[in-house]
Amino acid sequence: MVNVAIIGGTGYGAVELLRFLHNHPYVQVKKVISHSNSGTELAEVYPHVVEIIDIKMAELNVDALAQEVELVFFATPSNVSKNVIPALVDKGVRCIDLSGDFRLRDGEKYQTYYGEEIASQEYIEKAVYGLPEVNKEAIKQASILANPGCYPTATTLGLIPAIEKELVDRSSIIIDAKTGVSGAGRSLSLNVHFSEMNENFKAYKIGVHKHIPEIEQLLSERANEGMQVIFTPHIVPMTRGIMSTIYVDMKDNYSTKQLIDTYQTYYQDHPFVRVRKEGVFPSTKEVYGSNYCDIGLYADERTGKLIIVSVIDNLVKGASGQAVQNMNIMYGWEETTGLDQLPIYP
């Protein structure tokens, strides 16, 4: 058994981690840490775990924690984990960070999009970007695992095969993405107040969203050249889910069948990516509560554009489920352990 802890115990990311880790055969959750709720039973904050998970949340003590656990999940807001992870890693504790503190390598971009100084360069260089479908070998050895963001997961999984196979014009990418309100976290906000969000649909953070440099960084690495994208996020009145609809110019007159065959071959050894048949496009409900990313493709021969529809559950493949998937890879377990379950439908 591997003993683990979760820091940031009252957020949606933490409670989703607990949902998957509760029945994981190789893991025991020893600590749930929350500065704002230390001393409080988890079931008082999340009554749905009453008589199932009996944990009292605690304050963070790095020295004591390092004696109790081998792995720590950080389900914290940005600009928190960078101040704690170095001390844990130096004591031999592996860390999976669900925030954005270790995703970017460019300090200027981090300052621009996150509004803070980047983590120490020594630890940025140690961090491995945890998108399992493209980085599995590096993940196995990671001491600091930067879990990808939700929008970047859906978007890059939708684009990478076409980028790597040079099927599209890399300068023509337009991303139209939608998320449910849980992507904003559990904190109170006017933006996701029921009266503001119900029967409403709005774009936000156009041109300044912190996931823009993350998407561009990974695509640039896969393309071996600098890339830029147009990314417009929207919030829609549903609890969970992301749909990323991507438009990009094709380099040749590919058929939809050719593109689907390419994608199916690319992802054939990756259990959590499902490529739909021709004429079938995924919806967010079809991955609800699961670690799947479902992708639909259409080659628009009239306009010469490839249209990609990629969907995930933002709290699972976009956060906690992917973190568990990365943990499985780090410890040499079957990648699907604790995650191989049907989506919730309807």
Side-chain angles (χ1 to χ4, degrees):
M1 297 292 286
V2 171
N3 294 323
V4 307
I6 300 169
I7 298 179
T10 59
Y12 293 141
V15 79
E16 277 293 89
L17 279 170
L18 286 165
R19 182 165 73 92
F20 291 111
L21 296 176
H22 179 66
N23 290 316
H24 196 289
Y26 309 130
V27 170
Q28 184 173 6
V29 179
K30 299 291 285 187
K31 289 277 187 180
V32 176
I33 293 167
S34 171
H35 175 71
S36 61
N37 284 276
S38 63
T40 303
E41 295 287 343
L42 182 69
E44 291 183 35
V45 179
Y46 284 107
H48 70 287
V49 305
V50 68
E51 298 184 12
I52 301 172
I53 300 176
D54 183 18
I55 290 180
K56 184 177 289 187
M57 290 180 283
E59 284 275 5
L60 174 63
N61 181 316
V62 170
D63 291 334
L65 189 63
Q67 297 296 315
E68 294 184 71
V69 303
E70 291 84 42
L71 173 69
V72 176
F73 293 94
F74 282 78
T76 54
S78 298
N79 302 308
V80 173
S81 64
K82 68 181 183 182
N83 299 313
V84 182
I85 282 178
L88 285 168
V89 169
D90 289 349
K91 295 179 184 296
V93 178
R94 302 175 89 175
C95 297
I96 296 178
D97 183 24
L98 279 71
S99 81
D101 284 15
F102 292 88
R103 293 175 189 157
L104 301 184
R105 287 182 290 281
D106 187 314
E108 289 186 10
K109 287 184 178 178
Y110 188 89
Q111 175 73 52
T112 298
Y113 286 91
Y114 285 81
E116 297 278 348
E117 292 294 322
I118 199 168
S120 166
Q121 193 61 34
E122 175 187 354
Y123 297 95
I124 291 293
E125 290 174 2
K126 288 181 179 180
V128 172
Y129 189 75
L131 191 66
E133 288 74 17
V134 300
N135 224 9
K136 187 172 182 177
E137 291 306 310
I139 290 168
K140 291 177 182 179
Q141 307 302 322
S143 59
I144 302 173
L145 193 291
N147 212 59
C150 49
Y151 281 129
T153 295
T155 299
T156 58
L157 288 175
L159 275 167
I160 282 171
I163 295 296
E164 289 191 7
K165 301 298 183 182
E166 300 185 11
L167 304 178
V168 295
D169 178 355
R170 295 168 175 174
S171 67
S172 67
I173 299 170
I174 298 173
I175 303 156
D176 180 348
K178 289 95 173 171
T179 185
V181 294
S182 62
R186 202 181 190 212
S187 298
L188 299 178
S189 169
L190 180 63
N191 191 48
V192 292
H193 188 289
F194 181 83
S195 297
E196 300 284 333
M197 196 63 248
N198 185 46
E199 298 186 33
N200 201 3
F201 187 143
K202 48 193 172 186
Y204 69 104
K205 293 186 178 179
I206 297 174
V208 298
H209 197 285
K210 64 186 179 182
H211 286 163
I212 293 172
E214 184 180 342
I215 292 168
E216 292 180 344
Q217 177 179 274
L218 182 58
L219 292 181
S220 296
E221 289 175 358
R222 307 313 296 183
N224 292 313
E225 64 174 329
M227 289 186 59
Q228 292 183 316
V229 301
I230 296 172
F231 174 72
T232 303
H234 304 76
I235 188 166
V236 300
M238 64 183 186
T239 301
R240 292 173 179 249
I242 280 181
M243 175 177 284
S244 187
T245 305
I246 305 159
Y247 307 89
V248 58
D249 293 337
M250 295 186 291
K251 282 189 171 181
D252 207 340
N253 294 322
Y254 303 112
S255 68
T256 298
K257 183 181 184 306
Q258 286 175 306
L259 292 164
I260 288 173
D261 288 346
T262 298
Y263 272 65
Q264 288 178 336
T265 299
Y266 189 94
Y267 286 123
Q268 64 184 352
D269 296 323
H270 300 286
F272 290 115
V273 179
R274 305 186 297 186
V275 181
R276 295 302 178 85
K277 295 179 180 179
E278 186 169 357
V280 180
F281 297 91
S283 67
T284 58
K285 196 71 172 177
E286 292 159 5
V287 296
Y288 196 97
S290 81
N291 200 51
Y292 290 103
C293 173
D294 285 9
I295 298 170
L297 302 164
Y298 177 69
D300 189 340
E301 298 179 17
R302 184 178 63 86
T303 63
K305 290 190 182 295
L306 167 60
I307 301 171
I308 305 163
V309 179
S310 178
V311 300
I312 62 171
D313 184 318
N314 57 294
L315 294 178
V316 188
K317 184 59 172 170
S320 301
Q322 186 149 247
V324 173
Q325 184 182 359
N326 280 317
M327 176 190 68
N328 289 339
I329 294 169
M330 290 165 71
Y331 285 94
W333 304 324
E334 182 65 35
E335 198 169 336
T336 57
T337 305
L339 296 168
D340 192 10
Q341 54 192 265
L342 289 173
I344 299 169
Y345 200 94

